[in-house]
Amino acid sequence: PQVKAFVTQDIPLYHNLEMKHLPGADPELVLLSHRYEELERIPLSDMTREEINQLVQELGFHRKETPDAPVPEEFQFAPAKPLPTLLPPQAPNADGKTPPKRDKEEHPDL
């Protein structure tokens, strides 16, 4: 009943959070990258409605006052947060020099 209340009453208030019903599946929060690649699954069955709300806000989802309220510009891409750089170690080029490392804040694919 706690998860159902969150789904029916709270999800419409969050920007970039959507519900997909899978019959027979336990409720879980699935976090996706901007390329829709799965990042993490968090089971929700044993959580209260308040705990789920706290979790999604801690993850950076913006909660609106009403479902159709405008989303401030700084939250348009929320909950996008910089992720740790997951690039493999750089191999030396043919000239034996290692290419420059990218800055952690630099996201050329965005």
Side-chain angles (χ1 to χ4, degrees):
Q2 294 281 309
V3 175
K4 185 175 183 177
F6 173 78
V7 167
T8 59
Q9 298 172 31
D10 297 319
I11 285 181
L13 298 175
Y14 286 99
H15 178 63
N16 284 344
L17 185 64
E18 65 181 69
M19 184 351 212
K20 298 240 188 239
H21 181 74
L22 301 175
D26 288 334
E28 57 188 357
L29 178 65
V30 180
L31 301 174
L32 304 174
S33 73
H34 68 281
R35 294 183 180 142
Y36 299 96
E37 298 162 330
E38 185 176 313
L39 299 173
E40 185 177 357
R41 286 181 178 257
I42 303 169
L44 302 177
S45 298
D46 296 330
M47 296 176 73
T48 66
R49 179 179 175 186
E50 292 76 24
E51 290 170 331
I52 299 169
N53 272 290
Q54 182 178 353
L55 171 67
V56 295
Q57 288 177 36
E58 286 173 0
L59 290 169
F61 287 90
H62 174 69
R63 184 180 169 110
K64 303 177 285 185
E65 291 295 320
T66 62
D68 50 356
V71 176
E73 188 173 329
E74 66 267 25
F75 294 111
Q76 287 297 319
F77 298 104
K81 294 182 178 181
L83 295 174
T85 304
L86 301 175
L87 298 174
Q90 296 289 329
N93 287 337
D95 62 5
K97 294 181 180 176
T98 302
K101 292 186 177 187
R102 294 191 188 276
D103 186 87
K104 279 187 176 182
E105 302 302 316
E106 188 178 328
H107 294 285
D109 58 335
L110 295 181

